[in-house]
Amino acid sequence: VNEAIEVTLARWKARIDGELARVASNGIALPESLRDAVHYSLTGDGKRIRGLLVMASYDALGGTRDASQLAAAVEIVHAYSLVHDDLPCMDNDSLRRGRPTTHRAYGVAAATIAGVAMVALAVTQTVRAAESLGLAPATSRKLVMVLMQASGATGMVGGQLMDLENEGKVVSVEQLEAVHRAKTGALIAASLTMGGLAAGGSKQAVDDLARAGESLGLAFQIHDDVLDATSSSETLGKTAGIDAALSKSTYASTLGVDAARQKGDKLVADAMGSLKAAGLHNGPLMELARFVAARQS
Ligand code: IPE
Ligand code: IPE
Ligand code: MG
Ligand code: MG
Ligand code: MG
């Protein structure tokens, strides 16, 4: 790996972490349990892949300002999705980012409400980020639309419901792909789209980013399934083997681990190929794409 790219990504991640910590500390007027549950959920030790994809796409389309506020908006939605994903009525998980899940630490009611509060927080964060990047109101509106459409019933939330409804069932690989594209792919594609929009990219360039993002997003969840089946809770910082325990259909259970890995690798290679063909092959974006199916946690 190119050292300069590693340094850039580490610098960007530190900025996203700093922004999340700042947002997390702003809930002074909130009731204590809600404030603490939001703070805990936002400041957990995540990889910040989605935020980094926002910053890399912004950079790839010629953006020159600090897009970490916008990156944090996507990470706020993602962090909320994890809080709810772990709830007893969903995956009923107790370990996340190397610590007890939010509902284990603060109770189910505080975690549920904290999650919903974070959706609202993500919208205000997006509008503020657009303002600080000096973007026109029309661009700000598009950013909110892209983020909320990826988060809602036709994206992440809808995918999460299908995921739960499929527990204990044998589903086809086509159905599984639809679930994965919705529950995880949509928000990852939105990350690239938002970075491109914020940079003022052409419709063509933003569409190219979105399409690559869809492939990367599907690959990301396929690899998550593989890691669940092959790694340890200690390495992942979350409960390994929980998919089998919950009788989830995953790429690992449906295709087998090796074929799932190959499918993920191919999707990443295709995405990298189309980014290259579109002239969008800046170092950080390519490195993040490579990381999607090469990561160990
Ligand atoms: C986990 O996402 C949930 C999925 C959509 C697979 P990440 O693997 O990006 O989790 P963090 O943010 O690094 O904790
Ligand atoms: C969750 O998929 C996807 C989300 C939208 C949160 P998983 O349930 O596999 O995510 P992990 O493995 O708990 O992080
Ligand atoms: Mg889940
Ligand atoms: Mg889960
Ligand atoms: Mg998983």
Side-chain angles (χ1 to χ4, degrees):
V1 179
N2 183 321
E3 211 175 302
I5 295 172
E6 290 272 275
V7 171
T8 298
L9 288 171
R11 196 176 63 236
W12 288 354
K13 180 173 182 292
R15 284 202 208 134
I16 299 169
D17 285 338
E19 180 61 18
L20 287 169
R22 191 189 66 73
V23 172
S25 303
N26 273 355
I28 302 158
L30 296 175
E32 192 172 87
S33 59
L34 178 57
R35 183 189 63 206
D36 291 351
V38 170
H39 187 282
Y40 184 85
S41 307
L42 288 178
T43 56
D45 183 17
K47 297 179 288 293
R48 315 295 185 227
I49 281 278
R50 294 156 190 79
L52 288 168
L53 285 167
V54 171
M55 294 181 78
S57 303
Y58 178 77
D59 185 69
L61 292 200
T64 54
R65 308 194 34 182
D66 178 3
S68 60
Q69 270 185 277
L70 189 63
V74 180
E75 287 291 335
I76 293 169
V77 171
H78 170 59
Y80 128 71
S81 81
L82 300 179
V83 173
H84 278 201
D85 182 73
D86 293 331
L87 285 172
C89 60
M90 296 188 77
D91 291 350
N92 191 23
D93 215 331
S94 54
L95 183 67
R96 173 66 66 185
R97 294 174 163 174
R99 311 182 297 188
T101 49
T102 303
H103 68 91
R104 288 291 178 126
Y106 295 94
V108 170
T112 305
I113 290 169
V116 175
M118 287 159 73
V119 182
L121 203 54
V123 173
T124 52
Q125 176 75 12
T126 304
V127 174
R128 290 211 180 101
E131 275 167 12
S132 86
L133 288 170
L135 301 176
T139 310
S140 177
R141 190 177 67 226
K142 266 189 213 161
L143 290 169
V144 171
M145 288 293 278
V146 169
L147 182 56
M148 288 298 104
Q149 265 164 3
S151 307
T154 57
M156 188 273 288
V157 162
Q160 288 284 69
L161 181 61
M162 288 194 277
D163 177 278
L164 294 177
E165 287 174 345
N166 285 344
E167 279 180 12
K169 288 188 198 159
V170 178
V171 304
S172 69
V173 104
E174 288 77 18
Q175 286 171 304
L176 196 54
E177 180 174 324
V179 174
H180 280 27
R181 285 186 182 278
K183 77 171 182 175
T184 300
L187 193 59
I188 289 183
S191 305
L192 284 95
T193 306
M194 289 170 71
L197 285 172
S202 68
K203 183 174 185 316
Q204 181 66 56
V206 174
D207 285 350
D208 289 337
L209 281 174
R211 235 185 329 269
E214 286 168 14
S215 298
L216 289 179
L218 176 57
F220 191 90
Q221 185 61 49
I222 291 174
H223 197 64
D224 184 82
D225 291 353
V226 168
L227 288 173
D228 181 274
T230 58
S231 187
S232 66
S233 300
E234 201 186 356
T235 303
L236 298 177
K238 61 186 187 183
T239 313
I242 194 168
D243 292 337
L246 294 172
S247 305
K248 301 253 193 206
S249 286
T250 69
Y251 270 76
S253 70
T254 304
L255 296 184
V257 164
D258 290 340
R261 267 211 184 94
Q262 280 169 29
K263 170 92 181 154
D265 289 348
K266 184 176 178 332
L267 283 161
V268 169
D270 289 351
M272 289 174 79
S274 53
L275 287 172
K276 262 185 204 146
L280 299 172
H281 49 105
N282 80 337
L285 193 51
M286 285 311 201
E287 173 55 22
L288 290 169
R290 195 194 61 77
F291 180 72
V292 161
R295 68 201 166 92
Q296 297 298 316
S297 69

